PDB file of all heavy atoms in Angstrom:
ATOM      1  N   THR E 483     293.157  23.025   0.892  1.00 98.00           N
ATOM      2  CA  THR E 483     293.858  24.002   1.720  1.00 98.00           C
ATOM      3  C   THR E 483     294.242  23.350   3.046  1.00 98.00           C
ATOM      4  O   THR E 483     293.776  22.250   3.369  1.00 98.00           O
ATOM      5  CB  THR E 483     292.992  25.249   2.035  1.00 98.00           C
ATOM      6  OG1 THR E 483     292.101  24.927   3.112  1.00 98.00           O
ATOM      7  CG2 THR E 483     292.182  25.704   0.818  1.00 98.00           C
ATOM      8  N   SER E 484     295.063  24.070   3.807  1.00 98.00           N
ATOM      9  CA  SER E 484     295.490  23.554   5.110  1.00 98.00           C
ATOM     10  C   SER E 484     294.320  23.490   6.088  1.00 98.00           C
ATOM     11  O   SER E 484     294.438  22.918   7.162  1.00 98.00           O
ATOM     12  CB  SER E 484     296.604  24.437   5.677  1.00 98.00           C
ATOM     13  OG  SER E 484     296.166  25.774   5.724  1.00 98.00           O
ATOM     14  N   ARG E 485     293.185  24.084   5.710  1.00 97.00           N
ATOM     15  CA  ARG E 485     291.990  24.027   6.558  1.00 97.00           C
ATOM     16  C   ARG E 485     290.846  23.267   5.901  1.00 97.00           C
ATOM     17  O   ARG E 485     289.677  23.466   6.234  1.00 97.00           O
ATOM     18  CB  ARG E 485     291.554  25.447   6.922  1.00 97.00           C
ATOM     19  CG  ARG E 485     292.533  26.117   7.865  1.00 97.00           C
ATOM     20  CD  ARG E 485     292.260  27.591   8.010  1.00 97.00           C
ATOM     21  NE  ARG E 485     293.211  28.181   8.930  1.00 97.00           N
ATOM     22  CZ  ARG E 485     293.033  28.252  10.249  1.00 97.00           C
ATOM     23  NH1 ARG E 485     291.941  27.792  10.809  1.00 97.00           N
ATOM     24  NH2 ARG E 485     293.948  28.808  11.012  1.00 97.00           N
ATOM     25  N   GLY E 486     291.188  22.450   4.931  1.00 97.00           N
ATOM     26  CA  GLY E 486     290.162  21.609   4.303  1.00 97.00           C
ATOM     27  C   GLY E 486     289.839  22.048   2.886  1.00 97.00           C
ATOM     28  O   GLY E 486     290.457  22.965   2.347  1.00 97.00           O
ATOM     29  N   THR E 566     296.805  17.876  11.358  1.00 97.00           N
ATOM     30  CA  THR E 566     295.443  17.396  11.604  1.00 97.00           C
ATOM     31  C   THR E 566     294.632  18.428  12.381  1.00 97.00           C
ATOM     32  O   THR E 566     293.460  18.665  12.084  1.00 97.00           O
ATOM     33  CB  THR E 566     295.494  16.062  12.377  1.00 97.00           C
ATOM     34  OG1 THR E 566     296.381  15.193  11.678  1.00 97.00           O
ATOM     35  CG2 THR E 566     294.137  15.408  12.482  1.00 97.00           C
ATOM     36  N   GLU E 567     295.271  19.055  13.380  1.00 97.00           N
ATOM     37  CA  GLU E 567     294.567  20.075  14.174  1.00 97.00           C
ATOM     38  C   GLU E 567     294.137  21.250  13.302  1.00 97.00           C
ATOM     39  O   GLU E 567     293.008  21.720  13.395  1.00 97.00           O
ATOM     40  CB  GLU E 567     295.474  20.591  15.308  1.00 97.00           C
ATOM     41  CG  GLU E 567     295.345  19.761  16.572  1.00 97.00           C
ATOM     42  CD  GLU E 567     296.497  20.017  17.531  1.00 97.00           C
ATOM     43  OE1 GLU E 567     297.071  21.123  17.506  1.00 97.00           O
ATOM     44  OE2 GLU E 567     296.833  19.088  18.288  1.00 97.00           O
ATOM     45  N   GLN E 568     295.043  21.698  12.445  1.00 96.00           N
ATOM     46  CA  GLN E 568     294.719  22.835  11.592  1.00 96.00           C
ATOM     47  C   GLN E 568     293.585  22.481  10.613  1.00 96.00           C
ATOM     48  O   GLN E 568     292.678  23.270  10.395  1.00 96.00           O
ATOM     49  CB  GLN E 568     295.962  23.283  10.814  1.00 96.00           C
ATOM     50  CG  GLN E 568     295.748  24.633  10.159  1.00 96.00           C
ATOM     51  CD  GLN E 568     297.003  25.210   9.547  1.00 96.00           C
ATOM     52  OE1 GLN E 568     297.900  24.477   9.152  1.00 96.00           O
ATOM     53  NE2 GLN E 568     297.071  26.517   9.474  1.00 96.00           N
ATOM     54  N   LEU E 569     293.649  21.270  10.099  1.00 96.00           N
ATOM     55  CA  LEU E 569     292.611  20.803   9.176  1.00 96.00           C
ATOM     56  C   LEU E 569     291.253  20.793   9.865  1.00 96.00           C
ATOM     57  O   LEU E 569     290.242  21.228   9.302  1.00 96.00           O
ATOM     58  CB  LEU E 569     292.988  19.397   8.697  1.00 96.00           C
ATOM     59  CG  LEU E 569     292.231  18.829   7.517  1.00 96.00           C
ATOM     60  CD1 LEU E 569     292.504  19.649   6.268  1.00 96.00           C
ATOM     61  CD2 LEU E 569     292.657  17.379   7.279  1.00 96.00           C
ATOM     62  N   LYS E 570     291.260  20.315  11.097  1.00 95.00           N
ATOM     63  CA  LYS E 570     290.000  20.219  11.862  1.00 95.00           C
ATOM     64  C   LYS E 570     289.446  21.591  12.204  1.00 95.00           C
ATOM     65  O   LYS E 570     288.237  21.739  12.386  1.00 95.00           O
ATOM     66  CB  LYS E 570     290.241  19.433  13.150  1.00 95.00           C
ATOM     67  CG  LYS E 570     290.190  17.924  12.946  1.00 95.00           C
ATOM     68  CD  LYS E 570     290.128  17.204  14.287  1.00 95.00           C
ATOM     69  CE  LYS E 570     290.251  15.709  14.093  1.00 95.00           C
ATOM     70  NZ  LYS E 570     291.094  15.098  15.147  1.00 95.00           N
ATOM     71  N   SER E 571     290.327  22.588  12.326  1.00 94.00           N
ATOM     72  CA  SER E 571     289.849  23.932  12.709  1.00 94.00           C
ATOM     73  C   SER E 571     288.934  24.494  11.629  1.00 94.00           C
ATOM     74  O   SER E 571     288.115  25.386  11.916  1.00 94.00           O
ATOM     75  CB  SER E 571     291.029  24.856  12.982  1.00 94.00           C
ATOM     76  OG  SER E 571     291.697  25.160  11.775  1.00 94.00           O
ATOM     77  N   GLY E 572     289.049  24.005  10.392  1.00 94.00           N
ATOM     78  CA  GLY E 572     288.096  24.361   9.347  1.00 94.00           C
ATOM     79  C   GLY E 572     288.346  25.715   8.712  1.00 94.00           C
ATOM     80  O   GLY E 572     289.159  26.511   9.193  1.00 94.00           O
ATOM     81  N   LEU E 573     287.615  25.971   7.638  1.00 90.00           N
ATOM     82  CA  LEU E 573     287.830  27.176   6.833  1.00 90.00           C
ATOM     83  C   LEU E 573     287.218  28.426   7.456  1.00 90.00           C
ATOM     84  O   LEU E 573     287.611  29.537   7.136  1.00 90.00           O
ATOM     85  CB  LEU E 573     287.217  26.966   5.440  1.00 90.00           C
ATOM     86  CG  LEU E 573     288.076  26.192   4.475  1.00 90.00           C
ATOM     87  CD1 LEU E 573     287.230  25.598   3.371  1.00 90.00           C
ATOM     88  CD2 LEU E 573     289.156  27.101   3.907  1.00 90.00           C
ATOM     89  N   GLU E 574     286.245  28.246   8.338  1.00 78.00           N
ATOM     90  CA  GLU E 574     285.505  29.438   8.803  1.00 78.00           C
ATOM     91  C   GLU E 574     286.090  30.060  10.051  1.00 78.00           C
ATOM     92  O   GLU E 574     285.597  31.062  10.533  1.00 78.00           O
ATOM     93  CB  GLU E 574     284.037  29.071   9.033  1.00 78.00           C
ATOM     94  CG  GLU E 574     283.333  28.620   7.761  1.00 78.00           C
ATOM     95  CD  GLU E 574     283.638  29.523   6.573  1.00 78.00           C
ATOM     96  OE1 GLU E 574     283.416  30.745   6.682  1.00 78.00           O
ATOM     97  OE2 GLU E 574     284.116  29.025   5.538  1.00 78.00           O
ATOM     98  N   SER E 575     287.128  29.425  10.627  1.00 58.00           N
ATOM     99  CA  SER E 575     287.689  29.979  11.879  1.00 58.00           C
ATOM    100  C   SER E 575     288.674  31.084  11.575  1.00 58.00           C
ATOM    101  O   SER E 575     289.195  31.179  10.488  1.00 58.00           O
ATOM    102  CB  SER E 575     288.353  28.883  12.687  1.00 58.00           C
ATOM    103  OG  SER E 575     289.370  28.277  11.925  1.00 58.00           O
TER     104      SER E 575
END
Side-chain angles (χ1 to χ4, degrees):
T483 80
S484 55
R485 291 169 179 271
T566 309
E567 271 164 28
Q568 193 172 27
L569 193 65
K570 277 192 187 140
S571 70
L573 278 159
E574 297 315 305
S575 58

